Amino acid sequence: MRHIYLVGIGTGNPEHLTVQAINTLNKADVIFIPSKGVAKAELADVRKDICQRYVTNKAIRFVDYAVPVRQTADRSYVQSVDDWHAEISSTYERLFQEHISEDGSAAFLVWGDPSLYDSTIRIIERVKARDRVALGYSVVPGITSIQALTASHRIPLNLVGKPVQITTGRRLAESFPGMVETAVVMLDGEQAFSKIDDPDAYIYWGAYLGTEDEITIAGRLADVSDRIMATRAEARARHGWIMDIYLLRKGSDFDDQA
Ligand SMILES: C[S@@+](CC[C@H](N)C(=O)[O-])C[C@H]1O[C@@H](n2cnc3c(N)ncnc32)[C@H](O)[C@@H]1O
């Protein structure tokens, strides 16, 4: 049976790789490298850099493939993601049939950790469910963008004994402020923080975390919101793309203790 390794690679710093990740990459027969188009060429470069540094097994073959682009016209968000995953499943199925022998193995370098806002696991499950290629797979954890953010700002993720919500820009207004005191916001194309009007809220923002271009800004939301918007817009224009994440906080440690 073919075996697929989903290896978490961290968020842009090649030193985020764990020893387990390095050892796993070196035992695959094939490593698949996504090419996402010129705008995010830097992300493909990070994967190449990781392979150059750590893949010492000369027998490993590298296979580049084009990741299908998500189509959004004439469909809901959920439908567009579902169609996209179906298309990627077909691409993976073809890659597995063409490039891995029946008892061979291959690895994908998954950004951050495969469990967090990433669908590689779901897509491999889809390929298995289609039942045209017999597959097993395993997951190697990686440093997430949440860990990169909290480390750069030197903050704990949670307040003492309190929960954390991980959400997207699209859904932030449902929970913060109000339901939760700590919200981590990912995949925010609309700068949802700028619509929050709360004098007690703090923000810890980071872009390109782990890379040489890392930018961080922190402060009272009301004081730094405009600076984050301007910095983000300038960086996005300069790079042609951006990945950013932030933590919003209200309250403090022990403020609920009698
Ligand atoms: C598709 S999700 C992938 C998350 C990834 N699996 C992880 O463990 O962090 C992409 C989102 O993660 C966040 N992200 C990933 N890498 C980042 C980085 N280097 N700097 C800032 N945010 C990052 C951004 O919110 C981005 O929109």
Side-chain angles (χ1 to χ4, degrees):
M1 197 194 283
R2 293 171 172 90
H3 193 89
I4 310 297
Y5 299 107
L6 306 183
V7 180
I9 60 165
T11 62
N13 182 343
E15 294 184 2
H16 284 178
L17 252 80
T18 64
V19 175
Q20 186 189 10
I22 294 170
N23 290 341
T24 303
L25 291 177
N26 276 293
K27 67 184 179 203
D29 298 325
V30 177
I31 295 180
F32 292 120
I33 305 281
S35 49
K36 280 200 170 179
V38 212
K40 288 198 181 177
E42 285 123 308
L43 298 188
D45 289 349
V46 171
R47 288 183 168 88
K48 285 183 184 139
D49 181 12
I50 286 170
C51 292
Q52 270 162 14
R53 282 181 190 227
Y54 303 121
V55 177
T56 48
N57 176 354
K58 298 283 178 241
I60 292 176
R61 285 176 290 122
F62 293 93
V63 173
D64 281 320
Y65 69 99
V67 181
V69 175
R70 181 158 72 90
Q71 305 298 327
T72 50
D74 307 323
R75 55 199 109 177
S76 67
Y77 173 75
V78 170
Q79 189 58 51
S80 90
V81 173
D82 193 36
D83 292 349
W84 186 45
H85 286 181
E87 209 184 325
I88 301 174
S89 309
S90 307
T91 303
Y92 281 11
E93 195 177 88
R94 210 175 47 249
L95 286 174
F96 300 164
Q97 284 164 334
E98 286 175 9
H99 298 284
I100 320 175
S101 64
E102 277 183 25
D103 56 356
S105 63
F108 286 96
L109 284 70
V110 181
W111 198 259
D113 180 79
S115 71
L116 183 67
Y117 284 103
D118 186 280
S119 287
T120 315
I121 295 175
R122 268 178 215 107
I123 291 165
I124 295 291
E125 283 291 343
R126 275 198 189 217
V127 177
K128 273 169 71 79
R130 288 155 72 119
D131 212 17
R132 294 185 198 141
V133 257
L135 279 188
Y137 72 99
S138 40
V139 176
V140 177
I143 300 285
T144 67
S145 48
I146 299 179
Q147 290 160 301
L149 178 75
T150 54
S152 284
H153 284 287
R154 300 178 301 162
I155 51 167
L157 176 59
N158 58 290
L159 294 172
V160 172
K162 294 186 184 179
V164 172
Q165 184 176 70
I166 303 171
T167 188
T168 62
R170 251 174 11 109
R171 304 194 66 153
L172 175 63
E174 293 169 15
S175 53
F176 188 94
M179 302 274 289
V180 297
E181 284 175 288
T182 300
V184 175
V185 186
M186 307 179 63
L187 292 161
D188 184 2
E190 55 200 81
Q191 291 80 68
F193 61 84
S194 64
K195 291 165 209 131
I196 289 173
D197 181 16
D198 189 313
D200 297 327
Y202 267 75
I203 185 166
Y204 300 87
W205 176 82
Y208 315 103
L209 293 163
T211 75
E212 286 169 1
D213 300 308
E214 173 168 317
I215 317 170
T216 54
I217 297 177
R220 219 168 61 92
L221 184 55
D223 296 337
V224 297
S225 182
D226 288 350
R227 181 149 66 91
I228 295 173
M229 296 280 277
T231 305
R232 189 184 188 282
E234 185 281 321
R236 184 167 191 258
R238 188 157 35 89
H239 290 269
W241 61 278
I242 191 161
M243 275 207 290
D244 63 337
I245 180 170
Y246 50 94
L247 184 148
L248 291 167
R249 184 105 84 202
K250 279 187 63 135
S252 56
D253 286 333
F254 309 117
D255 62 3
D256 57 350
Q257 308 290 313

